[in-house]
Amino acid sequence: MSSLLQDTLPDLADELTALLRSQHEKELAEQVPLLRLVDRCRCGDDFCATLYTAPKPEGAYGTNHESLPLNSSSGHLILDLVDRKIVCIEILFREELRGRVLQLFPQ
């Protein structure tokens, strides 16, 4: 299953877009409406609601990887970028999103 972030979690998509724009990351903000959810993190931590927008790599992302923390008002939102493309949305300590993520990707 692969669905657009904008369709499944529109409030998160809007939040990411606003945060990226406020951090002068216009090119990244323009990617948000096109992001497809491919899976969730399977670490099992009860505070994690991380979503992958590209298949998770075996091991590390490699040399073209960067992490971009966003100034969210609650919890932690961190984007993982490869070649300046959003490949993962790390969502930590956001219980309201965790339940919805588990509904989207139950297994």
Side-chain angles (χ1 to χ4, degrees), residues 38-51:
V38 297
D39 202 1
R40 67 171 170 88
C41 178
R42 309 267 175 192
C43 70
D45 288 337
D46 62 1
F47 57 83
C48 180
T50 294
L51 291 164

Side-chain angles (χ1 to χ4, degrees), residues 47-107:
F47 57 83
C48 180
T50 294
L51 291 164
Y52 293 99
T53 58
K56 182 181 177 195
E58 295 287 328
Y61 278 112
T63 56
N64 296 336
H65 170 256
E66 63 182 296
S67 291
L68 177 66
L70 300 176
N71 297 320
S72 61
S73 59
S74 67
H76 299 287
L77 292 176
I78 305 159
L79 298 182
D80 287 311
L81 312 172
V82 174
D83 294 322
R84 296 294 290 171
K85 293 199 183 328
I86 301 169
V87 296
C88 178
I89 307 163
E90 294 183 51
I91 306 166
L92 307 173
F93 302 102
R94 296 281 297 264
E95 189 58 38
E96 78 284 1
L97 285 173
R98 181 166 163 69
R100 291 162 65 196
V101 167
L102 292 174
Q103 285 178 332
L104 289 170
F105 297 100
Q107 294 295 334

